[in-house]
Amino acid sequence: MTIASEIQIMNAVAMKRALHRMAHEILDRNNGPADLVIVGLQTRGVFIAKRMASIIGSVEGVDIPVGILDVTMYRDDYRIAFKQPTVKVTSIPFSVDGAAAVLVDDVFFTGRT
């Protein structure tokens, strides 16, 4: 058994609470949902971005645009970690000009982007 399997940082309830707190903080700092867009970094940041947009949407009664960004080729470790990097989909079907764009990633401890 590895140490990682013995330690649980957040369970489902703690994660839900954290996402709700972050959603409300985003709304507070942006003075509401106006001009707000959320872009999730491939792969797991996309799932979190969609959850965040859903939470904000349900609180404010609006649809928050969600985009997907692949940063594989910009990671500082891709030459070391990947022999052949797999580039994934980037889809941002809205303008970010003048928008309050929130980038969402799933890395909490160390980032490589």
Side-chain angles (χ1 to χ4, degrees):
M1 192 171 350
T2 65
I3 293 174
S5 66
E6 295 174 14
I7 300 171
Q8 183 177 28
I9 297 171
M10 296 179 86
N11 62 21
V13 173
M15 185 66 174
K16 181 179 178 181
R17 287 182 186 146
L19 288 172
H20 278 264
R21 281 193 304 273
M22 287 187 280
H24 285 280
E25 187 66 26
I26 290 167
L27 287 168
D28 288 346
R29 289 178 185 238
N30 195 53
N31 294 316
D35 301 318
L36 183 64
V37 299
I38 300 177
V39 178
L41 275 62
Q42 285 281 24
T43 299
R44 292 177 298 260
V46 175
F47 301 116
I48 297 171
K50 288 178 180 179
R51 285 182 67 185
M52 187 73 62
S54 175
I55 293 166
I56 292 171
S58 67
V59 168
E60 295 291 325
V62 296
D63 288 328
I64 302 297
V66 178
I68 300 168
L69 180 63
D70 180 35
V71 295
T72 301
M73 299 305 287
Y74 301 99
R75 288 176 55 149
D76 64 5
D77 68 339
Y78 94 87
R79 288 189 179 102
I80 299 166
F82 307 115
K83 290 181 182 168
Q84 191 71 296
T86 304
V87 178
K88 297 175 182 71
V89 172
T90 290
S91 174
I92 303 175
F94 46 82
S95 175
V96 295
D97 290 339
V102 177
L103 295 176
V104 179
D105 199 355
D106 71 319
V107 179
F108 295 111
F109 183 66
T110 61
R112 292 179 287 275
T113 51

